């Protein structure tokens, strides 16, 4: 990678790392796994940087992230936690609330979660979401509706 | 519920205690390691499925350096190594789980680089590149999974072949040579000459050597995709890669491969490579190479 390319990569990384990791968190409901997914996406992006360039980078990184996430599900990758951290919750809510939220996210099937995140968090159209996930537009619509319903049902006060 | 409300609902699921951003240097270092790995491991591989079944367990920690026979020069790759290797293929328990990647300027790696340089013969303008010992944990890079392994790795830049009338060029043909020790053989070494998302074989031949190892020689294109890899309309380009790889059922691998240093004019061409498939094979089939297998 040439110096100018490297500079562009660093600039892109600085700007996009957090947003992509948030997307990853919404997909998986766990910061550690989100970190793994995001790093994997940026590693792949770095390797492809010369041909992807900045304008196509986000689509590329998002696709890698999604493939890693769904692929990980297929491979049964899980990160069980055997103990909760013994420290105050900086988010302000109780740990129970936080665990409820995480559990609510995880309770939704992975692909349905992906539909929700792509449609409403990443702001993709029905067609783009369908194309990215390799499913029919009608399926995107029905999965979106069911996913939102499930989210609301599991955390009704949200 | 409109789209803004839906987004807000999702946003409510994001906890406020977001971790710090990983330094970009960490990610870049990881990517560079994979890039080097890819140049060596993605060489089309040998298939020894039947043997694999019995040897998919890591070889002993002690099955290491110094156990191979004295080097016996082999003049050409068409003459395979006939000396059975005495490298232990122990049935000792598998190595401890890989928890940390590591690298060092290892003496055996340096010796390996020197040995390879000697095999290149008297050539002008050969420039030595990175030399190191690597230990890598299992790594899923999307198109394949690399099992835990160690590697002695050496790179060299050689001037590309020039034809009469060619202008002087700084273009180089980059040789990566490695000895590797896998906990179990990666998939691409079990399914030889198989195209995948980023590899298209042009020539790929394999033959079993008398000691049970497999020699695979290939010219292949490393496919570069400009944009979405799944989009058939995305612009694609090809880089000509030449490799020879010797694969042992116990997880040891010796490999040597060539790739240009990003010269657009020649990236689709195999005829500028400075070494032939047989010359690469002569390097990887030389029993002397086995003296430089990486330690765990």
């Amino acid at each position: 990678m040439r110096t100018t390319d490297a500079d562009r990569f660093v600039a892109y990384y600085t700007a996009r790392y957090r947003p992509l990791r948030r997307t990853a968190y919404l997909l998986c409901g766990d910061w550690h796994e989100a970190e793994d997914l995001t790093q994997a996406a940026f590693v792949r992006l770095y390797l492809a940087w010369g041909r992807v360039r900045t304008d196509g980078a986000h689509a590329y990184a998002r696709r890698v992230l999604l493939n890693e996430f769904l692929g990980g599900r297929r491979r049964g990758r899980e990160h069980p936690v055997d103990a909760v951290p013994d420290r105050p919750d900086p988010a302000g809510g109780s740990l129970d609330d936080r665990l409820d939220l995480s559990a609510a996210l995880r309770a939704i099937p992975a692909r349905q979660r992906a539909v929700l995140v792509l449609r409403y968090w990443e702001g993709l159209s029905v067609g783009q979401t369908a194309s990215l996930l390799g499913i029919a537009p009608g399926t995107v619509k029905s999965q979106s509706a069911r996913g939102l319903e499930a989210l609301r049902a599991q955390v009704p006060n949200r | 519920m409109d789209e803004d409300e839906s987004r807000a609902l999702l946003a409510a699921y994001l906890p406020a205690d977001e971790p710090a951003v990983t330094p970009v240097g960490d990610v870049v270092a990881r990517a560079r390691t994979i890039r080097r790995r890819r140049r060596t491991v993605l060489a089309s591989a040998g298939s020894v499925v039947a043997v694999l079944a019995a040897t998919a367990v890591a070889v002993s920690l002690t099955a290491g350096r110094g156990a191979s026979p004295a080097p016996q020069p082999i003049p050409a790759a068409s003459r395979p190594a006939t000396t059975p290797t005495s490298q232990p293929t122990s049935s000792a328990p598998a190595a401890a789980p890989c928890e940390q990647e590591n690298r060092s300027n290892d003496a055996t790696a340096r010796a390996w680089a020197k040995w390879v340089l000697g095999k290149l013969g008297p050539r002008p303008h050969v420039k030595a590149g990175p030399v190191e010992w690597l230990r890598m944990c299992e790594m899923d890079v999307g198109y394949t999974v690399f099992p835990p392994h160690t590697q002695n790795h050496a790179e060299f830049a050689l001037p590309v072949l020039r034809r009469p009338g060619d202008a002087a060029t700084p273009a180089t043909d980059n040789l990566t040579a490695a000895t590797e020790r896998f906990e179990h053989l990666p998939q691409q070494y079990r399914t030889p000459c198989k195209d995948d998302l980023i590899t298209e074989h042009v020539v790929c031949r394999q033959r079993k050597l008398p000691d049970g190892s497999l020699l695979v020689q290939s010219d292949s294109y490393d496919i570069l995709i400009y944009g979405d890899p799944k989009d058939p309309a995305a612009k694609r380009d090809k880089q000509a890669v030449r490799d020879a790889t010797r694969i042992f059922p116990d997880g040891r691998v010796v490999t040597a491969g060539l790739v240009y240093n990003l010269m657009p004019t020649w990236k689709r061409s195999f005829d500028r490579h400075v070494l032939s498939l047989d010359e690469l094979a002569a390097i990887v089939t030389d029993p002397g190479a086995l003296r430089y297998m990486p330690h765990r």
Side-chain angles (χ1 to χ4, degrees):
Chain A
M1 186 181 280
R2 296 187 302 273
T3 307
T4 49
D5 282 342
D7 290 344
R8 277 199 293 271
F9 180 82
V10 171
Y12 180 82
Y13 183 96
T14 305
R16 294 298 310 173
Y17 193 89
R18 277 183 193 276
L20 194 67
R21 192 173 57 184
R22 287 174 188 156
T23 298
Y25 179 89
L26 290 173
L27 287 169
C28 67
D30 176 87
W31 278 126
H32 294 297
E33 190 177 351
E35 183 72 32
D36 287 347
L37 292 169
T38 310
Q39 282 198 28
F42 272 100
V43 164
R44 294 281 303 277
L45 182 61
Y46 181 90
L47 293 170
W49 189 251
R51 54 190 192 269
V52 172
R53 303 295 182 187
T54 310
D55 51 354
H58 189 54
Y60 186 88
R62 186 170 52 207
R63 176 177 280 282
V64 173
L65 186 78
L66 195 64
N67 290 347
E68 287 282 321
F69 168 67
L70 294 174
R73 300 285 133 182
R74 281 194 295 274
R75 290 189 296 272
R77 180 174 62 199
E78 292 294 342
H79 297 277
V81 175
D82 54 11
V84 292
D86 183 19
R87 56 186 167 83
D89 175 19
S94 74
L95 187 57
D96 285 347
D97 287 347
R98 299 275 311 288
L99 293 176
D100 280 349
L101 287 177
S102 180
L105 269 180
R106 288 169 179 271
I108 298 173
R111 192 165 285 273
Q112 198 172 78
R113 220 179 310 157
V115 169
L116 285 179
V117 171
L118 291 174
R119 277 284 286 126
Y120 301 118
W121 185 253
E122 289 283 312
L124 299 187
S125 69
V126 169
Q128 288 170 319
T129 305
S131 170
L132 202 51
L133 290 172
I135 56 180
T139 308
V140 171
K141 290 178 186 173
S142 61
Q143 297 265 6
S144 304
R146 283 183 204 146
L148 285 174
E149 192 179 337
L151 274 186
R152 280 196 303 257
Q154 297 208 39
V155 191
N157 58 339
R158 290 267 159 185
Chain B
M1 180 178 277
D2 66 19
E3 297 201 359
D4 285 343
E5 287 173 317
S6 303
R7 182 179 168 85
L9 178 64
L10 281 170
Y13 281 79
L14 278 172
D17 59 338
E18 188 170 350
V21 171
T22 303
V24 66
D26 292 0
V27 171
V28 169
R30 199 173 147 202
R32 285 177 175 159
T33 301
I34 291 171
R35 174 175 286 163
R36 281 196 291 271
R37 289 285 312 110
R38 177 171 146 175
R39 284 178 187 161
T40 54
V41 177
L42 262 189
S44 57
S47 174
V48 280
V49 177
V51 186
L52 267 177
T55 57
V57 180
V59 296
S60 159
L61 282 167
T62 58
R65 53 175 103 161
S68 59
Q72 296 293 325
I74 291 183
S78 54
R79 222 177 97 193
T82 53
T83 309
T85 60
S86 60
Q87 197 84 350
T89 53
S90 164
S91 58
C98 186
E99 291 176 350
Q100 189 178 1
E101 295 180 355
N102 208 345
R103 63 183 57 209
S104 76
N105 183 18
D106 184 84
T108 311
R110 295 199 303 274
W112 163 244
K114 194 173 175 184
W115 183 86
V116 173
L117 189 61
K119 289 290 160 190
L120 295 177
R123 292 171 185 269
H125 311 302
V126 175
K127 188 178 173 186
V131 175
E132 60 188 348
W133 168 86
L134 296 168
R135 181 179 64 201
M136 304 298 293
C137 297
E138 182 173 283
M139 185 166 47
D140 183 350
V141 292
Y143 51 86
T144 191
V145 175
F146 297 126
H149 61 280
T150 54
Q151 175 185 113
N152 283 330
H153 174 107
E155 293 181 38
F156 305 90
L158 301 93
V160 293
L161 292 182
R162 284 172 64 189
R163 301 242 183 89
D166 281 350
T169 172
T172 58
D173 202 9
N174 293 352
L175 171 69
T176 298
T179 54
E180 305 179 272
R181 193 187 293 277
F182 287 91
E183 195 169 296
H184 56 88
L185 286 174
Q187 183 61 34
Q188 57 265 52
Y189 288 159
R190 291 181 250 161
T191 53
C193 308
K194 189 177 175 185
D195 290 355
D196 60 29
L197 186 64
I198 61 166
T199 310
E200 176 187 325
H201 289 92
V202 176
V203 173
C204 192
R205 52 180 184 253
Q206 54 177 304
R207 61 194 162 92
K208 199 161 189 177
L209 304 182
D211 64 0
S213 65
L214 193 81
L215 172 65
V216 180
Q217 296 166 274
S218 75
D219 277 349
S220 64
Y221 287 123
D222 195 4
I223 302 169
L224 312 176
I225 306 169
Y226 296 78
D228 182 348
K230 298 282 173 61
D231 178 4
K235 183 185 170 193
R236 284 167 163 73
D237 217 332
K238 296 176 176 180
Q239 171 73 287
V241 178
R242 172 167 290 167
D243 281 291
T245 305
R246 186 182 186 189
I247 302 147
F248 292 84
D250 63 8
R252 288 174 298 152
V253 173
V254 184
T255 181
L258 290 166
V259 62
Y260 302 121
N261 67 334
L262 304 175
M263 291 303 292
T265 311
W266 297 329
K267 60 190 170 189
R268 287 174 176 271
S269 165
F270 291 98
D271 60 6
R272 306 281 180 160
H273 281 310
V274 297
L275 298 169
S276 67
L277 280 171
D278 283 347
E279 286 172 319
L280 288 175
I283 294 173
V284 302
T285 56
D286 189 316
L290 299 177
R291 288 185 299 175
Y292 305 101
M293 293 306 292
H295 67 85
R296 292 181 183 278

